Amino acid sequence: MHRSAPRLTRILACAAVPVMLVAAGCSSDDSGSGASASASPSASAASGSPAAPTTSAAPSPSVAPAKFAKLPDACKAITAKTVEDLVPAVKKKSGTPGRSSDLNNRGNCSWNGLKDRGVKGSDYRWLDVSLLRFDSDPTLGSGEERAQEKYSGKVDEAKATEGAIDVRTSPVPGVGDQARAVSYSLKKTDETFRYGVIVVRTENVLITVSYNGTGYAGAKAPAAGDVMEGTVKAVKDAVAAVAAANK
């Protein structure tokens, strides 16, 4: 009961001052927590409270630029000397280019010939080179990574050739960054054709060389080893041609 008079006196005193001062100074006598909760934004800033963090834009992804910016003419990727050695009696020495709407990223060329050996029969040979270049793309990866992803698929395609028998694969050391050889036989037009296929990745470019042949009218089909030896020779030409085109 003795404390009620001072409390009443304080209430009456607060009622006599302006409203603005009441809000600032006439708090409960129990504690100061209410004044703290009603502090103004300017007071919070003055007290050193940290500002809300701002969200910055995420940096754009970057990939290494592709090493090879262009492809050689596919029909010049294999030297005239190699073509002459592998395709005797070649019909068109300059080769037959494949159709492409983007020669800077893909190209193809082939050669074929039938050498008549009289009573010993005829020798048929076919040589084909395919070039595929990959650019670097922030959403797809670097040109080299994209070529690596495609490489295994190309090897699998050769191994899965319809009708192929006696399929064998082996690495090809010292050619490009990755190289795999696939050899097999294929029965066509009652003759046995020997095939050699090599898929090579050199940086961001894939090269596929296919070489095959058979014998007609009594001539024997070429040995599998000889066919693969010719395929290796041609693919080395193509790898060198890609490098030379980008100097």
Side-chain angles (χ1 to χ4, degrees):
M1 293 297 290
H2 296 290
R3 296 182 58 187
S4 60
R7 180 179 179 85
L8 178 60
T9 302
R10 289 188 60 191
I11 293 173
L12 292 174
C14 286
V17 298
V19 176
M20 291 178 62
L21 294 179
V22 170
C26 297
S27 61
S28 170
D29 63 343
D30 294 335
S31 69
S33 60
S36 174
S38 61
S40 67
S42 59
S44 297
S47 67
S49 299
T54 57
T55 303
S56 58
S60 299
S62 60
V63 295
K67 179 174 181 178
F68 295 134
K70 59 184 178 179
L71 294 176
D73 180 339
C75 288
K76 295 180 180 178
I78 299 177
T79 66
K81 179 64 168 62
T82 297
V83 171
E84 182 181 351
D85 289 345
L86 301 185
V87 190
V90 60
K91 290 182 179 179
K92 188 177 181 181
K93 292 182 179 181
S94 60
T96 302
R99 293 183 180 181
S100 175
S101 59
D102 187 2
L103 291 174
N104 195 51
N105 290 318
R106 61 181 66 240
N108 176 269
C109 193
S110 62
W111 298 261
N112 68 88
L114 180 66
K115 183 177 181 180
D116 187 351
R117 299 170 61 226
V119 295
K120 294 183 179 180
S122 301
D123 295 319
Y124 175 79
R125 300 291 184 271
W126 172 285
L127 176 64
D128 181 278
V129 61
S130 174
L131 308 173
L132 190 59
R133 191 185 75 88
F134 295 87
D135 259 327
S136 293
D137 187 305
T139 61
L140 299 176
S142 70
E144 182 176 353
E145 290 171 340
R146 295 177 66 195
Q148 286 176 334
E149 292 173 0
K150 191 70 174 178
Y151 169 79
S152 296
K154 285 289 187 181
V155 174
D156 289 341
E157 284 180 21
K159 291 165 59 178
T161 300
E162 185 177 358
I165 57 175
D166 195 24
V167 180
R168 300 181 182 183
T169 67
S170 59
V172 185
V175 180
D177 297 296
Q178 292 176 280
R180 194 80 183 173
V182 181
S183 65
Y184 57 88
S185 297
L186 195 62
K187 197 79 170 180
K188 296 190 299 183
T189 62
D190 297 326
E191 304 295 342
T192 298
F193 284 71
R194 307 287 191 208
Y195 277 79
V197 179
I198 295 179
V199 180
V200 175
R201 180 185 67 82
T202 174
E203 299 290 348
N204 58 306
V205 173
L206 280 185
I207 302 169
T208 304
V209 169
S210 178
Y211 179 49
N212 69 82
T214 191
Y216 289 109
K220 293 182 179 180
D226 292 340
V227 170
M228 187 53 69
E229 184 179 336
T231 311
V232 170
K233 184 176 183 178
V235 84
K236 286 182 176 180
D237 280 1
V239 170
V242 170
N246 287 273
K247 285 184 178 180

